[in-house]
Amino acid sequence: MKKILIVEDERNFARFMELELMHHGYAVTVVGSGQEGLETATRDASWDAILLDAMLPGLHGFEVCRGIRRAGFATPVIMLTARDSVTDRVSGLDSGADDYLPKPFAFEELLARIRAVIRRSKRGSGAAQAALAYRDLRIDPVAGTVSKAGVVLELTKREYELLLVLMNHRDRVLSRAMLLDLVWGYDCEAGTNVVDVYVRYLRNKIDDPGQRSYIHTVRGIGYVIRS
């Protein structure tokens, strides 16, 4: 039985999710504050997924998520919030969340998101992948690091995963929808510019001024790293 931790201060909403998830075969624990959520999430590594409200009393959800990642836990986190601007979604993902679901949502979609992040988590825990190199960039999937000319770069979890996918599919143009599925693990609305935002973040960190970018834009389609 898969274990879900819900960190949500709205009691009626938390109870609704708890009952529905239990009905679908999940073991569920509910806590109502950010501090309690952080302590519960980092007590052990047995959680299969965490549903984390962004607006919590005391310690807000973004801080809780960052605390979970700083503690070394890779448990899939789905942020739940009534705020749905691109800035808010990017902030949630930058804090280390694996998914971001705005309220209100259909419960069937939440179930699909939970299955997707758990599936991605299990897939990522398989056999270690060999290091990848391109020009002066090197990705070490075992250590989870990216270096350029021998210097380790500070990338967020999502930036790292996006670069890894592009490197693994070198010379293949990946559409934004494909990148959303491969990196974020679910299908987003077609108009989202989250992929574009993260490509810009990556370019700012890995490109040299005046030099050709490592990541090429294919107008109207998506992105590619060309050999």
Side-chain angles (χ1 to χ4, degrees):
M1 183 178 293
K2 290 183 169 51
K3 295 174 59 179
I4 305 295
L5 173 62
I6 298 175
V7 187
E8 170 64 66
D9 64 319
E10 295 181 26
R11 292 184 179 180
N12 291 338
F13 182 58
R15 182 59 174 163
F16 164 74
M17 289 194 293
E18 179 185 19
L19 292 174
E20 288 293 324
L21 287 170
M22 290 172 63
H23 176 72
H24 284 83
Y26 292 96
V28 183
T29 297
V30 178
V31 297
S33 71
Q35 187 60 46
E36 189 179 3
L38 178 58
E39 293 172 357
T40 307
T42 57
R43 192 169 296 145
D44 60 61
S46 65
W47 302 108
D48 290 286
I50 299 171
L51 306 182
L52 178 60
D53 184 40
M55 306 303 292
L56 292 165
L59 201 63
H60 65 64
F62 297 154
E63 292 173 325
V64 173
C65 192
R66 282 192 288 268
I68 293 170
R69 297 306 182 224
R70 281 195 300 267
F73 289 85
T75 311
V77 174
I78 300 177
M79 299 288 295
L80 306 176
T81 179
R83 297 163 57 180
D84 188 33
S85 70
V86 171
T87 300
D88 290 324
R89 291 202 301 269
V90 170
S91 295
L93 296 170
D94 268 349
S95 71
D98 297 87
D99 201 344
Y100 190 103
L101 185 58
K103 301 175 184 177
F105 51 79
F107 189 77
E108 291 75 13
E109 181 177 7
L110 176 62
L111 288 172
R113 301 287 184 102
I114 292 172
R115 291 193 297 268
V117 296
I118 292 177
R119 186 169 60 247
R120 284 190 68 241
S121 175
K122 301 304 180 187
R123 190 169 64 222
S125 62
Q129 180 183 344
L132 300 170
Y134 172 62
R135 288 162 59 181
D136 56 354
L137 280 180
R138 186 177 188 275
I139 299 181
D140 184 347
V142 176
T145 59
V146 176
S147 58
K148 180 178 179 180
V151 178
V152 175
L153 303 178
E154 293 295 328
L155 301 184
T156 66
K157 178 177 181 286
R158 197 65 63 183
E159 291 165 354
Y160 169 83
E161 291 176 346
L162 177 57
L163 183 60
L164 182 61
V165 165
L166 289 167
M167 289 278 277
N168 273 322
H169 295 81
R170 198 182 310 172
D171 295 317
R172 178 184 176 188
V173 178
L174 299 177
S175 69
R176 291 169 178 81
M178 293 171 66
L179 287 169
L180 284 168
D181 184 49
L182 290 168
V183 177
W184 281 263
Y186 62 91
D187 293 325
C188 280
E189 62 275 15
T192 185
N193 67 345
V194 168
V195 171
D196 302 314
V197 169
Y198 273 84
V199 168
R200 185 171 71 249
Y201 288 167
L202 264 180
R203 283 172 169 164
N204 288 338
K205 293 183 177 182
I206 67 177
D207 287 352
D208 294 311
Q211 301 296 316
R212 64 188 178 95
S213 177
Y214 291 86
I215 303 171
H216 296 263
T217 301
V218 180
R219 191 178 300 276
I221 301 177
Y223 299 96
V224 61
I225 290 179
R226 300 194 188 281
S227 299

